[in-house]
Amino acid sequence: MKDSDTHPKPTLAVHKYLKGSPPRREPDAEEAKDAYENAHAVSREALMLEIRLANGEMVSFPYSALRKARYLPKGVIELRFDGNRVIAEGKNLLRLHESIIQHRQRFIQEGTDIERGLKDEDAVHIDRILITEAKEEE
Protein backbone atom coordinates (compact mmCIF):
# COMPACT_ATOMS: atom_id res chain seq x y z
CA MET A 1 0.00 0.00 0.00
CA LYS A 2 1.33 3.41 -0.98
CA ASP A 3 1.57 6.31 1.49
CA SER A 4 -0.60 8.39 -0.86
CA ASP A 5 -3.42 5.85 -0.52
CA THR A 6 -3.70 6.44 3.24
CA HIS A 7 -3.27 10.24 3.09
CA PRO A 8 -5.31 11.74 0.26
CA LYS A 9 -4.24 15.06 -1.21
CA PRO A 10 -6.06 18.14 0.17
CA THR A 11 -9.06 19.15 -1.85
CA LEU A 12 -9.35 22.47 -3.60
CA ALA A 13 -11.80 23.75 -0.96
CA VAL A 14 -9.32 23.17 1.86
CA HIS A 15 -6.56 24.81 -0.15
CA LYS A 16 -8.80 27.85 -0.65
CA TYR A 17 -9.17 28.38 3.10
CA LEU A 18 -5.49 27.78 3.84
CA LYS A 19 -4.44 30.20 1.15
CA GLY A 20 -6.28 33.13 2.75
CA SER A 21 -8.33 35.83 1.16
CA PRO A 22 -6.89 38.82 -0.68
CA PRO A 23 -6.64 42.08 1.28
CA ARG A 24 -9.80 44.18 1.21
CA ARG A 25 -10.00 47.90 0.66
CA GLU A 26 -11.34 49.77 3.67
CA PRO A 27 -14.38 51.90 2.83
CA ASP A 28 -14.13 55.64 3.26
CA ALA A 29 -16.26 57.32 5.94
CA GLU A 30 -19.20 58.08 3.63
CA GLU A 31 -19.29 54.52 2.23
CA ALA A 32 -19.15 53.08 5.74
CA LYS A 33 -21.97 55.35 6.91
CA ASP A 34 -24.13 54.43 3.90
CA ALA A 35 -23.45 50.73 4.42
CA TYR A 36 -24.34 51.01 8.11
CA GLU A 37 -27.54 52.95 7.36
CA ASN A 38 -28.57 50.38 4.75
CA ALA A 39 -27.77 47.37 6.92
CA HIS A 40 -29.43 48.93 9.94
CA ALA A 41 -32.50 49.86 7.93
CA VAL A 42 -32.78 46.39 6.41
CA SER A 43 -32.66 44.82 9.85
CA ARG A 44 -36.04 46.27 10.79
CA GLU A 45 -38.64 48.66 9.54
CA ALA A 46 -39.00 52.11 11.07
CA LEU A 47 -42.19 52.87 12.97
CA MET A 48 -42.10 56.61 12.33
CA LEU A 49 -40.54 59.02 9.86
CA GLU A 50 -38.92 61.98 11.57
CA ILE A 51 -38.86 65.28 9.70
CA ARG A 52 -35.87 67.45 10.76
CA LEU A 53 -36.12 71.10 9.82
CA ALA A 54 -33.19 73.50 9.49
CA ASN A 55 -34.42 75.53 12.49
CA GLY A 56 -34.03 72.50 14.78
CA GLU A 57 -37.73 71.59 14.88
CA MET A 58 -38.55 67.90 14.49
CA VAL A 59 -41.91 66.37 13.64
CA SER A 60 -42.53 62.63 13.46
CA PHE A 61 -45.27 60.84 11.55
CA PRO A 62 -46.18 57.17 11.95
CA TYR A 63 -45.59 55.08 8.85
CA SER A 64 -48.97 53.48 9.54
CA ALA A 65 -50.54 56.87 8.61
CA LEU A 66 -48.64 57.17 5.29
CA ARG A 67 -51.38 57.19 2.67
CA LYS A 68 -49.52 58.43 -0.38
CA ALA A 69 -45.92 58.93 -1.47
CA ARG A 70 -45.25 60.69 -4.75
CA TYR A 71 -41.88 61.22 -6.41
CA LEU A 72 -41.48 63.93 -9.06
CA PRO A 73 -38.26 63.78 -11.13
CA LYS A 74 -37.84 67.56 -10.87
CA GLY A 75 -36.64 66.99 -7.29
CA VAL A 76 -39.78 66.71 -5.17
CA ILE A 77 -41.19 64.09 -2.83
CA GLU A 78 -44.74 64.54 -1.57
CA LEU A 79 -45.90 62.51 1.42
CA ARG A 80 -49.43 62.35 2.80
CA PHE A 81 -49.86 61.17 6.38
CA ASP A 82 -53.64 61.08 6.89
CA GLY A 83 -54.50 64.80 6.58
CA ASN A 84 -50.89 66.03 6.91
CA ARG A 85 -48.77 66.86 3.88
CA VAL A 86 -44.97 66.89 3.72
CA ILE A 87 -43.14 68.28 0.68
CA ALA A 88 -39.37 67.72 0.38
CA GLU A 89 -37.51 69.57 -2.37
CA GLY A 90 -33.94 68.80 -3.35
CA LYS A 91 -31.81 66.69 -5.66
CA ASN A 92 -31.32 62.96 -6.27
CA LEU A 93 -34.40 62.05 -4.23
CA LEU A 94 -35.40 58.81 -5.97
CA ARG A 95 -33.32 56.63 -3.61
CA LEU A 96 -34.84 58.45 -0.63
CA HIS A 97 -38.35 57.90 -2.01
CA GLU A 98 -37.68 54.17 -2.41
CA SER A 99 -36.47 53.93 1.17
CA ILE A 100 -39.55 55.77 2.45
CA ILE A 101 -42.04 53.57 0.61
CA GLN A 102 -40.32 50.52 2.11
CA HIS A 103 -40.73 52.09 5.60
CA ARG A 104 -36.96 51.96 6.09
CA GLN A 105 -36.04 55.64 6.24
CA ARG A 106 -35.74 56.86 9.84
CA PHE A 107 -35.60 60.58 9.07
CA ILE A 108 -35.33 63.20 6.37
CA GLN A 109 -33.47 66.43 7.04
CA GLU A 110 -33.17 69.84 5.47
CA GLY A 111 -29.61 70.57 4.47
CA THR A 112 -27.70 73.79 4.07
CA ASP A 113 -26.17 75.29 0.95
CA ILE A 114 -22.71 74.54 2.38
CA GLU A 115 -23.61 70.86 2.88
CA ARG A 116 -24.97 70.69 -0.66
CA GLY A 117 -21.66 72.00 -2.01
CA LEU A 118 -19.65 69.42 -0.06
CA LYS A 119 -21.67 66.41 -1.25
CA ASP A 120 -20.96 64.33 -4.33
CA GLU A 121 -22.97 65.24 -7.41
CA ASP A 122 -25.11 62.09 -7.10
CA ALA A 123 -25.73 62.40 -3.32
CA VAL A 124 -29.21 62.95 -1.90
CA HIS A 125 -29.77 66.48 -0.64
CA ILE A 126 -32.93 68.17 0.65
CA ASP A 127 -33.02 71.94 0.23
CA ARG A 128 -36.40 72.59 1.81
CA ILE A 129 -39.16 70.73 3.65
CA LEU A 130 -42.68 72.12 3.96
CA ILE A 131 -45.20 70.61 6.38
CA THR A 132 -48.89 71.37 6.09
CA GLU A 133 -50.67 69.99 9.14
CA ALA A 134 -54.31 68.97 9.17
CA LYS A 135 -56.55 70.95 11.44
CA GLU A 136 -57.02 69.08 14.68
CA GLU A 137 -60.51 68.62 16.03
CA GLU A 138 -61.15 69.98 19.52
Side-chain angles (χ1 to χ4, degrees), residues 2 7 18 24 35 43 48 88 96 98 107 125 135:
K2 295 182 196 174
H7 300 341
L18 294 175
R24 297 186 317 186
S43 67
M48 298 186 87
L96 180 62
E98 291 170 353
F107 65 89
H125 181 79
K135 297 195 182 341

Side-chain angles (χ1 to χ4, degrees), residues 5-19:
D5 292 339
T6 58
H7 300 341
K9 292 183 179 180
T11 64
L12 185 58
V14 172
H15 179 67
K16 179 176 128 182
Y17 291 110
L18 294 175
K19 183 178 174 185

Side-chain angles (χ1 to χ4, degrees), residues 70-81:
R70 172 188 278 169
Y71 166 76
L72 301 170
K74 65 180 182 179
V76 176
I77 294 176
E78 177 184 358
L79 306 171
R80 299 254 182 184
F81 293 92

Side-chain angles (χ1 to χ4, degrees):
M1 183 181 266
K2 295 182 196 174
D3 188 37
S4 63
D5 292 339
T6 58
H7 300 341
K9 292 183 179 180
T11 64
L12 185 58
V14 172
H15 179 67
K16 179 176 128 182
Y17 291 110
L18 294 175
K19 183 178 174 185
S21 58
R24 297 186 317 186
R25 177 185 71 82
E26 288 296 319
D28 64 26
E30 191 64 30
E31 288 175 322
K33 181 182 173 204
D34 288 346
Y36 172 77
E37 289 291 329
N38 289 336
H40 187 66
V42 169
S43 67
R44 64 185 173 106
E45 292 180 354
L47 298 176
M48 298 186 87
L49 178 65
E50 184 175 83
I51 312 300
R52 299 177 181 176
L53 303 176
N55 65 6
E57 182 181 353
M58 292 182 272
V59 180
S60 298
F61 294 100
Y63 267 117
S64 62
L66 181 60
R67 301 292 176 241
K68 183 177 185 179
R70 172 188 278 169
Y71 166 76
L72 301 170
K74 65 180 182 179
V76 176
I77 294 176
E78 177 184 358
L79 306 171
R80 299 254 182 184
F81 293 92
D82 288 333
N84 301 298
R85 182 175 174 206
V86 176
I87 302 285
E89 299 172 350
K91 67 173 193 160
N92 302 319
L93 301 181
L94 180 58
R95 221 175 28 220
L96 180 62
H97 176 262
E98 291 170 353
S99 182
I100 289 170
I101 63 174
Q102 295 171 8
H103 296 194
R104 299 200 185 280
Q105 189 68 33
R106 302 226 179 275
F107 65 89
I108 61 174
Q109 181 171 343
E110 281 182 321
T112 65
D113 290 336
I114 294 171
E115 290 172 336
R116 183 181 186 131
L118 295 173
K119 291 180 178 177
D120 290 337
E121 191 60 35
D122 62 343
V124 173
H125 181 79
I126 298 175
D127 294 313
R128 183 168 71 152
I129 299 175
L130 303 169
I131 301 174
T132 307
E133 296 188 23
K135 297 195 182 341
E136 294 184 23
E137 295 180 28
E138 296 183 21

